[in-house]
Structure formats: structure tokens, C-alpha cells
Amino acid sequence: MEDKTKKVSTSSKGLLQSEELYEYLLETSVYPREPKPLKELRAVTATHPRAMMGTSPDSGQLMAMLLTLVNAKRTIEIGVFTGYSLLLTALTIPDDGKITAIDLNWDTYEIGLPIIKKAGVEHKINFIQSEALPVLDKLLETVRINHLRLLVLDRG
Ligand SMILES: C[S@@+](CC[C@H](N)C(=O)[O-])C[C@H]1O[C@@H](n2cnc3c(N)ncnc32)[C@H](O)[C@@H]1O
């Protein structure tokens, strides 16, 4: 059977502009470190007409490293598509971590959802089907209200 997971990335998406060097790094460093659920997600995304929108596995591993370095626990995912960066975030943050994931489309999220469920990380995700800005405004308002409450309690 054809291995779809190796067809998604192209050099134009990465920092390295030599196709051969990029392929070498993918084969020797990136693919061997890529968790199985992310490989699966890449495979199911590969046949989508807009597969190029998905996060590339090398960028994904940089993101996972940054999430680990800052001990991220609560994150916001703006633009989910089929969920590659969402799943890598969910796999990286602690079990009680939370991700607010926003996308206009439920249909593309649904493509990766069975893999997210199988990986046992769906409980960390609150998917909101919406335009991102109103959701972000609402989140900001909640933060402001909670901040004011804390100030009042502090002075009370
Ligand atoms: C580049 S893709 C995201 C890739 C994804 N992070 C991944 O790892 O595969 C962009 C996504 O943003 C969504 N999108 C575009 N404009 C949006 C908006 N204004 N509000 C919410 N989602 C939006 C699109 O539906 C699309 O799924």
C-alpha cells in the first residue's frame, strides 16, 4: 500500500530550501520522532484538496518543543483544519490542560477527530465552530471580569 504520510511535506513550506536536504532531515530526524497519531492524521489529510494547509511535521516538532519549554497548560488554537497542530498540542500539554480550538469549519475537524479520540486526548479540547474574533473577544471579556473580581476581593 502507498505510504501517504511521506507525500504531504514539500520544501517550499520549510526553512530549508534544498529539497534533498529537507527530505534527508525528514527521513532521518523528523519522521522517526513523529508520534503515531500525528502520522495517521497526516495520512488522512494527504488526500484532502487543501492538504497543503496542514502544519508540516518539522514545524510541528518545533511547536511541541516550544510548548514544552514554556510548560503550556492552556492554549488557543485559531484555525484547526484537520487538527495536526491541535493534536500535537493535545499530546504535549498535561492531562488536565485545556485547548480552546476555533475554526469556521466542523467538516475538516471531523476528518481528524477519530484519531484525536483514539489518542485519548479529546477531553483537553473545546472545539468552537465560529469566526475566531468574536470568540477571542468573549475570552478577553471573561479574563477582564475575572481580573476585576480578583481586584474587588483583594480590596474587600
Ligand atoms: C492553515 S489552516 C490551519 C492548519 C492547522 N493548524 C493544522 O495544523 O492543520 C487555516 C484554518 O483556519 C480556518 N479559518 C480561516 N479563517 C478563519 C476565521 N476567521 N475564524 C476561524 N477560523 C478560520 C480555516 O477554516 C482553516 O481550517
Side-chain angles (χ1 to χ4, degrees), residues 84-102:
Y84 190 92
S85 55
L86 175 63
L87 177 56
L88 82 83
T89 304
L91 289 169
T92 307
I93 65 174
D95 200 50
D96 60 345
K98 288 279 172 260
I99 308 166
T100 300
I102 314 161

Side-chain angles (χ1 to χ4, degrees), residues 11-145:
S11 61
S12 61
K13 285 180 74 184
L15 291 172
L16 297 165
Q17 292 304 305
S18 152
E19 180 82 39
E20 293 76 17
L21 184 54
Y22 185 58
E23 283 303 325
Y24 175 79
L25 286 178
L26 287 176
E27 294 295 340
T28 59
S29 175
V30 178
Y31 293 147
R33 288 185 172 88
E34 188 181 36
K36 196 165 162 258
L38 289 176
K39 274 192 207 305
E40 273 184 54
L41 193 51
R42 227 159 26 82
V44 298
T45 305
T47 52
H48 192 281
R50 288 178 295 152
M52 273 300 289
M53 285 212 303
T55 299
S56 64
D58 50 330
S59 310
Q61 284 176 26
L62 175 65
M63 283 175 63
M65 187 178 78
L66 294 173
L67 288 165
T68 306
L69 281 175
V70 299
N71 283 323
K73 197 168 173 186
R74 301 181 69 87
T75 70
I76 303 172
E77 176 92 15
I78 303 169
V80 171
F81 187 43
T82 60
Y84 190 92
S85 55
L86 175 63
L87 177 56
L88 82 83
T89 304
L91 289 169
T92 307
I93 65 174
D95 200 50
D96 60 345
K98 288 279 172 260
I99 308 166
T100 300
I102 314 161
D103 202 296
L104 293 163
N105 294 312
W106 168 265
D107 294 358
T108 44
Y109 175 53
E110 222 175 14
I111 295 171
L113 191 53
I115 298 164
I116 291 172
K117 286 184 177 167
K118 199 167 75 175
V121 292
E122 195 201 3
H123 63 284
K124 302 183 195 177
I125 300 168
N126 175 25
F127 180 87
I128 302 171
Q129 184 182 5
S130 166
E131 173 78 36
L133 275 179
V135 177
L136 294 174
D137 283 341
K138 216 169 151 191
L139 283 174
L140 207 55
E141 195 52 36
T142 311
V143 170
R144 276 202 201 106
I145 290 168

